[in-house]
Amino acid sequence: MVNTQKTSSDNESRYCLGIESTADDFGVGIVNFDGDILTNTVDSYVPMEGGIHPREAARHHAEVASKVLCRALTDANIKVRDLTCIAFSMGPGLGPCLRTGATVARALASYLQIPLVGVNHSIAHIEIGKLKTGAVDPVTLYVSGGNTMVTAFESKRYRVFGETLDIALGNCLDVFARHVGLKNQRGLPFGAAVEQLALKGKNFIPLPYVVKGMDLSLSGLLTAATMQLQRGNCTLEDVCYSLQEHAFSMVAEVTERALAHTEKKEVLLTGGVAANKRLQAMLEAIAEEHNVRFNVVPQKFATDNGAMIAWTGSLAYTYGIVTPIEESYVKLRWRVDKVDVPWMN
Ligand code: ATP
Ligand code: FE2
């Protein structure tokens, strides 16, 4: 553990550049060590059709990397020589995409001869949520395209209190949207398209609701929702509405139980699906019932972004965590409970 006594003026002039490349986004963020975000730049890979093809996405990342890096440095109005360290998403995520980001990060750190910091992408979603909302020690519901989990800090680590047993919530919404023929419109995630249709739904259709202990399962719900529509006796709006109600109630139930168990005083909603207003309203209602503070990550930082990697990298670096280049291989299934978070102790 080092450097815990730095003054605020020191922190203002120390900068961490973070690279995000776990899936379809190539993002670069720059923060100072006080948590001011100087820039948060992103270029997203949009598949012509279907889901993300990891190698195609990785090729996109390699193509846009230098352009996004230059834009970020210009935006932040700093020179590469001003950087204190380089952080990158080391996992979990798609192998080819992670490796592309890691290669860029290693090259930069070696060239500038500054430390490299491997960051856990899931923890970065939590930390940016805390930074932007002021939450300190929340029960977190982290819901995205690849992850669905309820975590809270306990015994030196972020512990997983409950999670999906199969697909992630965002993936459930995305696959449903593609199956029913919604088109991938630039700038509008599939989850947001389902949200808009759900607003017009009027009839609640019973679908599978699967919570097992503290875990949940969404694949049966996805299949049943898709089949309902194929049968042709209900509207797309009603199915979107019912799909959301079931899936969101499941994650809310697990979050509520974690809250009761841990007796934490804050709830944080983070990850790409946190942008959903209906999910926000459900969690807010639970928080109110338990008399705890509800926090939701601002939309701009809900989906994958470089700023969250930069901020978490700066926290780790402040507490002496660096990743030697020879140990900087990516970890495709890196769980939050395997990561030291000394800044929380
Ligand atoms: P991770 O690696 O953390 O799993 P990811 O690659 O899935 O991340 P995120 O940007 O965190 O990326 O989340 C993307 C997901 O968020 C997609 O499934 C998308 O459909 C979903 N999403 C975005 N906006 C909304 C919304 N308004 N309502 C529901 N889901 C949304
Ligand atoms: Fe993410």
Side-chain angles (χ1 to χ4, degrees):
M1 313 281 139
V2 292
N3 286 351
T4 53
Q5 302 302 315
K6 288 283 173 188
T7 64
S8 139
S9 60
D10 278 323
N11 283 338
E12 268 169 34
S13 54
R14 299 200 304 161
Y15 303 105
C16 178
L17 180 146
I19 296 176
E20 160 55 33
S21 73
T22 50
D24 51 343
D25 298 314
F26 184 85
V28 174
I30 301 176
V31 302
N32 68 23
F33 279 45
D34 269 345
D36 298 314
I37 294 167
L38 279 63
T39 182
N40 190 25
T41 319
V42 68
D43 195 305
S44 303
Y45 156 78
V46 183
M48 299 295 268
E49 59 179 45
I52 305 170
H53 189 297
R55 279 198 309 278
E56 288 298 317
R59 193 195 323 221
H60 160 269
H61 297 348
E63 275 169 17
V64 302
S66 65
K67 181 181 79 182
V68 180
L69 275 169
C70 289
R71 207 194 305 151
L73 287 160
T74 310
D75 250 24
N77 197 21
I78 63 164
K79 308 244 172 317
V80 276
R81 294 282 164 207
D82 298 330
L83 295 171
T84 308
C85 58
I86 304 291
F88 71 104
S89 262
M90 197 152 84
L94 304 172
C97 302
L98 284 169
R99 281 189 280 273
T100 305
T103 304
V104 175
R106 282 184 208 112
L108 259 180
S110 312
Y111 174 69
L112 297 170
Q113 297 189 312
I114 57 176
L116 186 65
V117 185
V119 166
N120 180 289
H121 174 91
S122 307
I123 289 183
H125 273 293
I126 301 172
E127 293 302 342
I128 196 75
K130 286 163 55 190
L131 175 71
K132 285 286 150 194
T133 61
V136 177
D137 184 19
V139 164
T140 301
L141 172 61
Y142 161 40
V143 273
S144 61
N147 289 279
T148 294
M149 67 176 80
V150 176
T151 71
F153 181 75
E154 216 162 274
S155 309
K156 296 180 184 270
R157 297 246 167 117
Y158 283 113
R159 305 288 167 182
V160 180
F161 282 84
E163 61 192 319
T164 179
L165 296 167
D166 40 49
I167 55 173
L169 180 52
N171 188 240
C172 174
L173 299 171
D174 294 350
V175 173
F176 172 78
R178 280 202 300 272
H179 275 183
V180 301
L182 298 185
K183 290 280 166 275
N184 198 341
Q185 300 163 24
R186 221 175 215 290
L188 185 71
F190 278 129
V194 172
E195 177 178 23
Q196 287 183 4
L197 288 164
L199 285 173
K200 298 184 205 129
K202 292 190 185 73
N203 302 304
F204 180 84
I205 305 158
L207 295 167
Y209 182 99
V210 186
V211 175
K212 296 181 179 178
M214 288 294 280
D215 294 328
L216 54 104
S217 158
L218 293 161
S219 61
L221 171 63
L222 169 61
T223 309
T226 313
M227 281 170 58
Q228 270 294 340
L229 208 63
Q230 282 165 355
R231 284 197 200 109
N233 50 4
C234 47
T235 67
L236 176 59
E237 287 80 0
D238 284 346
V239 181
C240 287
Y241 164 67
S242 307
L243 171 64
Q244 279 199 172
E245 291 304 299
H246 283 80
F248 295 173
S249 302
M250 287 187 222
V251 292
E253 180 187 332
V254 175
T255 310
E256 183 170 19
R257 285 215 237 125
L259 207 53
H261 175 80
T262 59
E263 297 184 348
K264 303 263 186 204
K265 295 288 165 242
E266 302 160 302
V267 182
L268 171 65
L269 175 59
T270 195
V273 188
N276 190 293
K277 296 276 185 295
R278 176 63 185 136
L279 179 58
Q280 291 175 13
M282 272 195 202
L283 279 207
E284 190 166 14
I286 283 170
E288 236 169 63
E289 220 164 276
H290 288 256
N291 204 17
V292 303
R293 186 172 157 225
F294 174 66
N295 305 272
V296 57
V297 70
Q299 174 137 13
K300 171 166 171 209
F301 299 101
T303 45
D304 291 348
N305 63 86
M308 70 183 193
I309 304 301
W311 170 237
T312 311
S314 75
L315 287 173
Y317 182 72
T318 301
Y319 282 81
I321 296 176
V322 296
T323 308
I325 296 224
E326 59 280 13
E327 290 170 24
S328 64
Y329 50 84
V330 298
K331 302 176 185 182
L332 277 54
R333 297 184 188 284
W334 196 16
R335 287 177 63 84
V336 292
D337 49 13
K338 296 278 182 271
V339 186
D340 287 330
V341 285
W343 59 89
M344 285 294 289
N345 290 310

